[in-house]
Amino acid sequence: MTTVADKKAKTTTGGKAEFHDVLIVGAGLSGIDAAYRIHELNPDLDYALIERRERTGGTWDLFRYPGIRSDSDIFTFSLPFNPWTGNTSIGQGEDIRNYIWDTARKFGIDKKIQFETQVTSANFDSATDIWTVETISGGKPKTFETRFLFMCTGYYSYDEGYTPEFPGIEDFQGQVVHPQFWPEDLDYKGKKVVVIGSGATAITLIPSMADDVEHITMLQRSPTYITSLPNKDPIALATRKVLPPNLAHNVTRWRWATQTLGSYLFMRKAPKAGRALIRRMTKAMLPADYPVDVHFKPKYAPWDQRLCVVPNGDLFKAIRNGQAEVVTDTIDRVTATGIKLTSGRELEADIIITATGLQMQALGGTEIAVDGSPVKISDHYLYRGYMLDGVPNMAWTIGYINASWTLKADITSQHVARLLKHMGDNGYTHAEADRAGEILAEKPAMELSSGYVQRAADQLPKSGSSMPWMVRHNFLLDYYDFRRASVTQSMKFSKVADAKEKVAG
Ligand SMILES: Cc1cc2nc3c(=O)[nH]c(=O)nc-3n(C[C@H](O)[C@H](O)[C@H](O)COP(=O)(O)OP(=O)(O)OC[C@H]3O[C@@H](n4cnc5c(N)ncnc54)[C@H](O)[C@@H]3O)c2cc1C
């Protein structure tokens, strides 16, 4: 790797661009984790973090709807090197946002972040082994150069959510709100609200708004599996009392990680039993005559789509209390005063909330090229779930779909840190995942039938069916494999012999 001392000489623009050994894109949880891990193992490397927004936090800064919270447990969702100190098992959005900023400050990462800087394109030059990264910074074009590009840009578009066409929506006299762009001043007190959707966002919104509205309806086309999680973990609290903070955090983190994985594997291996178990738990939380099979019996098997979680059964409580209603039907058309359903029923509404999901987006919308040739992501295999074959010196954090995103993000950051150390120790300027022409048996990189995954099929990379080319959603296997695995397996390394001359000249 380059050192800070000779970085000026290495810039392809003769010093006009800002050069960093490593450029991390995105200052959400993954970006902060990446910065920590890279610096931990490679303290001499100069890195910068660039972030399109004006603050850290990513998802947890963008989403501001009522009740916003994590839907996986906060112990595995927080970072292993900075203990979560809150008392609940599910983290509130604001607490997660503050936690991310506190982590950045605590480890000096905040000083490395350049805000309001959005990456638009990046080109790798194999003559110099340097990426040229084009950004819009504070409204103006700015060019960066880097030896290694680390994309921590999340998985969805920050510019638009997903909203299907609803016939007649233009006739609606009330307000239409997408949760990704929640108006700060939205007044829903005493109003009739219809939330379209049944995913994590819808089931968070319903109980959070139920006390204030006149009536709130969750309108779903088809049901989702929803399980309840106790929002206090007495064992975690007790562990904190007897162990030092970092150790206590990691003991609890591992306990939750194994517990969650065990539950996932059980549901996948025994879907019938899993289905029956969830149905029994759901039924127990609803009135005796409630039509559970109409509203809470999905057509798919558990974990064909993400399982949704509610803390302390809050959604079911709102239904039990008559504050909230679930309607399973399809939309015929939106009218001036509400939504007319295919069944003929009309739902009156002052506000319609389209909790219809995210628009998946790879690499934060960055156009990637190698030697000027555009990279089509869906043509490439993912090496260890983070590197596209044939695209040198670039990592991309993609978390788990069946457990906290962060578990995989941290494994990835640690592996990338080791890869950078190997490059530095050997003077390599080029690291590339290499299939050596092998045709790999394929499996989907994200095994979910959810609409947002299906809609994005052409943006997802390919996964092989064996390591190191397989995208695996199993934290325990990944943890041991990534720690043991050599960073050189299926990789090719080289150095630009006369790097300085080529770059400067
Ligand atoms: C409402 C909601 C709830 C969620 N709850 C959970 C949960 O409970 N558990 C879980 O595991 N996952 C959850 N997720 C998924 C969640 O996004 C991730 O877990 C996690 O926050 C991802 O962190 P990240 O840093 O990888 O991505 P993000 O949080 O999306 O951060 C990406 C950052 O990159 C920046 N960026 C993107 N593109 C560019 C660009 N071109 N140039 C510069 N900067 C760029 C963004 O501004 C952002 O700051 C949730 C997602 C949503 C939307």
Side-chain angles (χ1 to χ4, degrees):
M1 292 294 290
T2 51
T3 61
V4 180
D6 64 5
K7 67 185 178 185
K8 280 259 152 56
K10 292 197 184 295
T11 59
T12 48
T13 53
K16 282 195 197 117
E18 185 176 314
F19 183 94
H20 296 280
D21 295 330
V22 180
L23 196 62
I24 301 169
V25 185
L29 261 178
S30 304
I32 303 299
D33 180 74
Y36 177 88
R37 291 302 187 191
I38 286 171
H39 184 69
E40 179 185 45
L41 204 62
N42 305 276
D44 292 336
L45 280 187
D46 150 62
Y47 76 87
L49 235 148
I50 49 182
E51 165 56 54
R52 59 175 282 178
R53 295 173 64 74
E54 61 279 16
R55 287 178 298 273
T56 57
T59 297
W60 306 98
D61 184 51
L62 175 72
F63 280 83
R64 299 294 180 119
Y65 58 76
I68 168 86
R69 63 186 182 216
S70 67
D71 57 2
S72 48
D73 73 274
I74 194 62
F75 306 111
T76 55
F77 193 56
S78 49
L79 301 165
F81 50 85
N82 192 23
W84 180 263
T85 53
N87 287 332
T88 54
S89 310
I90 297 283
Q92 290 304 307
E94 193 185 344
D95 296 338
I96 301 175
R97 185 163 69 245
N98 292 337
Y99 169 84
I100 296 172
W101 177 235
D102 287 347
T103 309
R105 274 211 318 232
K106 188 167 167 182
F107 298 104
I109 298 164
D110 57 332
K111 296 184 194 72
K112 303 281 190 175
I113 308 174
Q114 300 189 26
F115 291 104
E116 296 184 76
T117 304
Q118 176 170 0
V119 176
T120 51
S121 65
N123 179 54
F124 183 78
D125 173 31
S126 46
T128 57
D129 284 342
I130 283 179
W131 283 97
T132 301
V133 180
E134 301 298 346
T135 73
I136 301 292
S137 181
K140 294 195 196 111
K142 177 172 175 179
T143 306
F144 289 81
E145 287 180 329
T146 188
R147 183 69 83 200
F148 198 95
L149 189 58
F150 198 163
M151 302 300 284
C152 298
T153 44
Y155 65 100
Y156 62 88
S157 165
Y158 273 64
D159 297 317
E160 50 178 350
Y162 174 68
T163 314
E165 291 273 314
F166 295 120
I169 195 88
E170 62 288 350
D171 300 334
F172 185 57
Q173 299 292 301
Q175 208 168 347
V176 181
V177 174
H178 192 287
Q180 188 164 334
F181 307 101
W182 194 268
E184 252 176 60
D185 56 352
L186 182 69
D187 179 14
Y188 50 85
K189 270 209 162 58
K191 302 264 172 76
K192 292 193 261 310
V193 179
V194 175
V195 181
I196 304 177
S198 59
T201 302
I203 65 168
T204 301
L205 280 170
I206 303 276
S208 307
M209 297 172 71
D211 282 341
D212 296 319
V213 295
E214 183 191 317
H215 190 257
I216 188 157
T217 307
M218 179 165 105
L219 172 60
Q220 57 178 13
R221 200 167 41 180
S222 55
T224 302
Y225 287 108
I226 299 170
T227 56
S228 176
L229 195 75
N231 207 9
K232 278 264 157 76
D233 175 0
I235 306 176
L237 299 179
T239 310
R240 261 188 219 165
K241 284 197 182 132
V242 293
L243 295 177
N246 275 331
L247 183 58
H249 179 59
N250 278 305
V251 167
T252 303
R253 200 166 175 271
W254 270 93
R255 187 164 56 74
W256 276 88
T258 42
Q259 204 165 285
T260 309
L261 180 62
S263 141
Y264 171 79
L265 293 175
F266 163 70
M267 297 280 177
R268 293 312 280 167
K269 296 267 180 264
K272 255 187 165 174
R275 228 185 255 260
L277 183 69
I278 299 174
R279 186 179 182 280
R280 213 168 34 247
M281 285 172 11
T282 309
K283 207 165 162 30
M285 286 183 286
L286 289 165
D289 58 347
Y290 191 85
V292 174
D293 291 339
V294 176
H295 302 309
F296 292 104
K297 187 180 170 192
K299 294 191 191 94
Y300 57 87
W303 278 112
D304 280 353
Q305 299 187 11
R306 260 185 95 108
L307 215 69
C308 286
V309 169
V310 289
N312 294 340
D314 62 1
L315 172 76
F316 301 109
K317 193 165 156 223
I319 298 171
R320 243 179 8 246
N321 295 346
Q323 291 173 300
E325 184 189 1
V326 179
V327 172
T328 307
D329 208 328
T330 46
I331 296 174
D332 176 35
R333 64 179 293 107
V334 179
T335 64
T337 54
I339 301 178
K340 189 160 180 293
L341 302 172
T342 315
S343 64
R345 184 175 169 190
E346 186 154 356
L347 301 175
E348 276 183 52
D350 302 308
I351 301 173
I352 294 176
I353 300 172
T354 51
T356 40
L358 303 163
Q359 193 78 56
M360 271 182 92
Q361 188 184 57
L363 300 170
T366 306
E367 287 177 19
I368 298 286
V370 174
D371 293 328
S373 299
V375 170
K376 189 171 172 230
I377 291 170
S378 55
D379 287 347
H380 294 259
Y381 285 89
L382 262 186
Y383 170 83
R384 294 204 177 283
Y386 75 76
M387 205 168 194
L388 295 172
D389 72 314
V391 181
N393 297 10
M394 186 185 90
W396 175 18
T397 291
I398 309 174
Y400 289 127
I401 50 167
N402 60 348
S404 280
W405 174 278
T406 336
L407 290 171
K408 180 64 182 287
D410 187 56
I411 287 179
T412 298
S413 300
Q414 292 197 50
H415 208 260
V416 172
R418 279 175 57 204
L419 179 69
L420 291 169
K421 180 154 175 23
H422 179 76
M423 291 173 76
D425 289 349
N426 293 283
Y428 293 134
T429 54
H430 186 114
E432 184 178 333
D434 182 22
R435 278 186 291 125
E438 198 189 335
I439 310 288
L440 304 173
E442 282 182 47
K443 76 186 250 311
M446 285 196 177
E447 286 175 285
L448 289 178
S449 63
S450 312
Y452 69 96
V453 176
Q454 299 308 317
R455 285 195 300 274
D458 63 331
Q459 291 197 44
L460 292 174
K462 296 194 264 196
S463 165
S465 53
S466 61
M467 290 310 272
W469 297 101
M470 178 169 68
V471 178
R472 184 167 52 192
H473 292 275
N474 184 316
F475 169 64
L476 285 188
L477 293 181
D478 274 353
Y479 182 82
Y480 287 108
D481 184 45
F482 273 61
R483 277 181 101 82
R484 273 196 355 253
S486 145
V487 291
T488 58
Q489 186 192 5
S490 300
M491 291 286 296
K492 67 179 185 203
F493 295 93
S494 58
K495 42 187 114 173
V496 175
D498 51 349
K500 279 193 189 176
E501 290 70 29
K502 276 192 179 172
V503 175

